[in-house]
Amino acid sequence: MYNKKNSPQFYKADSLSSIRLFSICLLFGFQLAVAQKKDENIGTEVVNVVKAYTPTISDAFKVKESPVLNDEDNSKKEAIQYSIFSFPVASTFTPTKGKSASVENAAKEKLFGNYATFAAGTYGTINTELFATKTLKNGDYVGAMFRHLSSQGGVKDVVLDNNFSNTSLDATYGSKSGKISWNGDLGYQRQAYNWYGLNPLFYENLVPSDKDLFLGKINPKQVYQNIYFGGKMALSGSSFKEATLKFSHFSDSYASAENRLVIKPAAQFEISDIKLKTNFVFDYLSGSFDKDYYNTTSLKYGSTILGIQPTFNYFKKELSINFGLGIYYNSLVQTEISDSKSKLFIYPNISGTYNLVGDLMIAYAGLEGELKQNSYQDFVQENFFMSPTSAVSPTDQKYDLYVGLKGKLSNTIGYNVRGTFKNEENKALYKSNAYNPLNTNDSGYAFGNSFGVIYDKVKTLSFFGELKADFTKNFSVGVNGTLNSYGIQDEQEAWNLPAIQLSSFVDYTFNSKWYANAKVFFVGQRKDVVSVPSIAAVFPPIYFQETITLNSYFDLNAHVGYKHNERLTFFFKGNNLANQNYQRWVNFPVQGIQVMLGANYKFDF
């Protein structure tokens, strides 16, 4: 029977259950033990139950969550005043001085402000450069540059002169005082080329005397001259950022003349995280040709472009957005291809980038348009064999939509891939001129050996990819390529536009003395037209036209240099090392292997 006075003050529920279970097991085991002894006499006993067991839990003291402090002075801080008594302690301990780790530093290369270069090579090629600059006492500076590149020709299987030369002289004066910096430029350039791309059909079947007579009356030489001046001014700490100005007078040996003035101011305002940048454009062009291709009349052209390009720049963490538009007003002077006198153009100007994974993966996109001013000078710099008879008009680039991804594959390898869809109206295409049988003044460009400009609406779908790797500070490589698909409205083909272009480079520095680099580029097939007159002395002439496919080509160039000392370097240059007798333009083959040896000398005044 349970004895209450020996019970503890309180039981937990699980302890009570354990006691009950133990008691039942003990009683059951006892009965089994007694049951094994069947012959043992079991007595009787009377058990009186006085009261049923009802366990209770005693009250426990519970700590309050927010105790009340009765001491009123508990929150007061007692002011403590103390002083430190310092006295010297004698010590014989001497710490060992640390020694910095040795680092091998490369010798710092001395920079010189001036240099002179001279090289000579095959085909009678000469290349010279001279650059000199001087800083004045008041911080201003003055500089000059002279350049000359010429060759005596020697192109294989060419019957006309094919030498060329390119000479230029530039001078500059600049100053930087406080927040204002400016510089002024003045220059002159002379370029001489020959229309040597004569179709063999016009002379190969002639008897020698007639052939000599025919070739003797052709003077293929053309000389271009350009006189220009300009300047740039920048102002820091102001909403007005900078302004540039350039004027050029371009002419040739056939009495062609062209004047162009371009002024581009820029301003910028900042409001919180938003920047408002505004570019202004004033582009004036005026020119004339002495006669058209068939000697019937003179040509005059002109175009004035006024433009404003406000752009809002927004930056926030990984996101950067430029949102704006371009508004252009164009006034045209008499041209052959447009009757419009003036017109207003509005273009989108939206671009942005987003860092997907830091600088490892950056997405970018844009939708941009522009009114591009074309000029006779620009045409010549892209194709030296232009005839001085081409109509000149601006190109309406309605939009250039592009989406791309750039970043790093590793710490040494970078990449860039982009897709582009461009819509251009009045785009200039270079097309071979027809042979002019009515050429009474023996113009050197009228024998089917020059190029004119054809304008058309062109839609271009392009895919571009690029990889660059800097494996070490002495070794880097790169490769890029572009695939193009063209949609033409009026012409049969996108004349002289390649469908594929590839290029690659390698730069390697062997040691402190030797270095080398190589470049190779590949250009896919292009199409052009060859026109042969069917009946002479008829105006306008009647032609048989044949579409020509120009073969694709690649060109390998190399440069090896030896640094004799910090001032003098010797070098070797090789162009077209694969000896590809390709045609950049129809009937205009290039020189074969070209080799030059030269030296560069650096100096200070």
Side-chain angles (χ1 to χ4, degrees):
M1 188 170 59
Y2 175 77
N3 189 353
K4 184 176 180 181
K5 73 177 182 177
N6 295 327
S7 65
Q9 294 299 319
F10 61 91
Y11 289 87
K12 292 183 179 180
D14 56 349
S15 299
L16 180 59
S17 300
S18 300
I19 294 174
R20 289 180 178 177
L21 180 60
F22 177 75
S23 301
I24 294 172
C25 293
L26 182 62
L27 180 59
F28 182 75
F30 177 77
Q31 289 179 351
L32 289 177
V34 175
Q36 299 296 325
K37 301 177 182 180
K38 296 181 181 179
D39 56 350
E40 187 176 349
N41 187 19
I42 299 176
T44 60
E45 184 175 356
V46 178
V47 179
N48 296 325
V49 178
V50 180
K51 184 180 180 182
Y53 170 64
T54 56
T56 60
I57 298 177
S58 302
D59 293 335
F61 174 75
K62 182 179 180 182
V63 179
K64 296 182 178 180
E65 295 181 357
S66 301
V68 178
L69 300 178
N70 295 325
D71 191 352
E72 295 180 356
D73 295 332
N74 186 61
S75 60
K76 297 180 180 180
K77 295 182 179 180
E78 183 178 356
I80 300 177
Q81 297 180 355
Y82 60 89
S83 61
I84 299 176
F85 177 70
S86 301
F87 59 91
V89 177
S91 175
T92 59
F93 172 73
T94 302
T96 303
K97 294 182 179 180
K99 183 179 180 181
S100 60
S102 59
V103 178
E104 183 179 354
N105 294 324
K108 187 176 180 180
E109 185 177 358
K110 184 178 179 180
L111 300 178
F112 296 90
N114 317 284
Y115 73 87
T117 299
F118 178 82
T122 56
Y123 298 99
T125 303
I126 294 188
N127 185 14
T128 60
E129 288 187 13
L130 176 62
F131 176 77
T133 183
K134 180 68 175 179
T135 301
L136 306 179
K137 293 182 180 180
N138 58 356
D140 296 355
Y141 62 90
V142 61
M145 162 87 62
F146 172 79
R147 293 179 178 177
H148 174 80
L149 174 63
S150 63
S151 174
Q152 298 307 310
V155 179
K156 185 178 179 181
D157 299 328
V158 171
V159 296
L160 298 179
D161 291 341
N162 51 90
N163 55 7
F164 70 88
S165 67
N166 189 339
T167 305
S168 64
L169 177 63
D170 298 272
T172 184
Y173 186 94
S175 175
K176 185 175 182 179
S177 177
K179 297 182 179 181
I180 301 177
S181 62
W182 62 271
N183 69 280
D185 302 315
L186 176 65
Y188 169 78
Q189 184 178 28
R190 181 184 185 274
Q191 298 169 294
Y193 291 88
N194 285 276
W195 292 294
Y196 65 86
L198 189 62
N199 193 330
L201 292 175
F202 302 144
Y203 63 85
E204 63 182 358
N205 294 325
L206 299 177
V207 297
S209 59
D210 291 339
K211 178 180 178 180
D212 293 339
L213 181 62
F214 174 75
L215 297 178
K217 69 178 182 179
I218 301 176
N219 179 16
K221 189 173 183 179
Q222 168 70 299
V223 177
Y224 305 105
Q225 298 186 76
N226 185 30
I227 302 174
Y228 53 92
F229 66 86
K232 180 178 180 180
M233 182 179 67
L235 182 62
S236 60
S238 172
S239 298
F240 174 78
K241 290 300 179 183
E242 63 180 18
T244 61
L245 179 148
K246 184 175 182 180
F247 173 82
S248 62
H249 174 75
F250 187 74
S251 61
D252 64 19
S253 56
Y254 281 80
S256 306
E258 180 180 81
N259 296 314
R260 187 175 183 183
L261 175 63
V262 180
I263 303 175
K264 293 184 176 181
Q268 180 174 298
F269 307 90
E270 296 187 15
I271 304 175
S272 185
D273 294 335
I274 300 177
K275 294 182 179 180
L276 174 60
K277 184 176 182 180
T278 304
N279 295 325
F280 301 90
V281 177
F282 174 78
D283 194 337
Y284 170 80
L285 179 74
S286 176
S288 63
F289 297 115
D290 186 54
K291 58 181 64 72
D292 64 3
Y293 190 73
Y294 293 104
N295 303 326
T296 59
T297 184
S298 61
L299 294 176
K300 292 184 179 180
Y301 61 91
S303 173
T304 301
I305 296 177
L306 296 174
I308 181 172
Q309 298 172 315
T311 304
F312 292 93
N313 306 109
Y314 176 75
F315 303 92
K316 188 174 183 180
K317 294 183 179 179
E318 294 84 10
L319 180 64
S320 172
I321 299 177
N322 299 323
F323 180 80
L325 51 84
I327 303 174
Y328 296 87
Y329 174 80
N330 179 225
S331 177
L332 287 172
V333 182
Q334 180 181 357
T335 65
E336 282 189 345
I337 61 170
S338 177
D339 295 328
S340 300
K341 295 301 181 181
S342 61
K343 191 175 180 180
L344 183 67
F345 300 85
I346 300 178
Y347 301 101
N349 187 13
I350 304 171
S351 63
T353 62
Y354 183 75
N355 293 17
L356 297 173
V357 187
D359 60 351
L360 299 179
M361 187 178 295
I362 302 173
Y364 64 93
L367 179 63
E368 301 173 351
E370 183 183 2
L371 184 63
K372 297 181 178 180
Q373 184 82 286
N374 294 316
S375 68
Y376 177 47
Q377 180 185 2
D378 292 339
F379 291 155
V380 167
Q381 299 311 309
E382 190 170 355
N383 185 342
F384 295 116
F385 313 110
M386 292 289 300
S387 65
T389 60
S390 300
V392 179
S393 180
T395 295
D396 176 14
Q397 180 182 292
K398 294 186 175 300
Y399 59 83
D400 180 4
L401 174 64
Y402 59 89
V403 178
L405 195 66
K406 61 183 179 180
K408 295 181 179 179
L409 297 177
S410 66
N411 290 333
T412 59
I413 302 177
Y415 68 92
N416 185 12
V417 292
R418 180 176 69 247
T420 303
F421 183 72
K422 186 181 297 185
N423 184 0
E424 296 174 286
E425 192 167 306
N426 215 39
K427 179 178 176 61
L429 303 174
Y430 300 106
K431 187 177 181 181
S432 178
N433 284 326
Y435 179 88
N436 181 14
L438 304 178
N439 181 25
T440 56
N441 59 354
D442 296 330
S443 299
Y445 56 82
F447 297 87
N449 56 338
S450 63
F451 294 84
V453 171
I454 299 295
Y455 293 89
D456 199 357
K457 184 175 182 178
V458 181
K459 294 182 179 180
T460 307
L461 178 63
S462 301
F463 295 97
F464 170 82
E466 181 180 44
L467 280 176
K468 288 185 178 180
D470 295 321
F471 294 110
T472 66
K473 64 179 181 179
N474 297 328
F475 180 47
S476 61
V477 298
V479 60
N480 66 71
T482 304
L483 298 176
N484 299 311
S485 177
Y486 305 101
I488 309 297
Q489 178 173 286
D490 298 326
E491 295 294 315
Q492 292 80 18
E493 299 286 346
W495 308 118
N496 284 295
L497 294 181
I500 181 173
Q501 292 175 286
L502 302 173
S503 67
S504 179
F505 75 89
V506 177
D507 290 332
Y508 187 71
T509 301
F510 298 95
N511 49 45
S512 59
K513 295 291 186 179
W514 290 92
Y515 67 91
N517 61 65
K519 296 180 180 179
V520 59
F521 58 89
F522 174 86
V523 178
Q525 294 181 343
R526 292 91 57 221
K527 293 184 182 296
D528 206 330
V529 169
V530 172
S531 301
V532 179
S534 60
I535 302 177
V538 176
F539 185 83
I542 300 175
Y543 292 98
F544 290 119
Q545 292 189 339
E546 180 184 3
T547 299
I548 300 296
T549 299
L550 296 174
N551 294 330
S552 59
Y553 65 89
F554 73 93
D555 199 327
L556 175 61
N557 306 318
H559 182 132
V560 179
Y562 172 74
K563 295 182 179 179
H564 179 68
N565 53 43
E566 63 180 4
R567 293 179 179 269
L568 182 61
T569 300
F570 298 97
F571 61 85
F572 159 86
K573 284 185 178 182
N575 296 328
N576 195 14
L577 295 178
N579 197 25
Q580 297 289 303
N581 190 28
Y582 63 85
Q583 297 183 21
R584 173 63 183 91
W585 307 98
V586 63
N587 296 323
F588 281 85
V590 300
Q591 295 174 338
I593 297 178
Q594 305 149 43
V595 176
M596 284 197 302
L597 295 175
N600 175 274
Y601 183 75
K602 303 174 185 178
F603 60 95
D604 283 330
F605 290 121

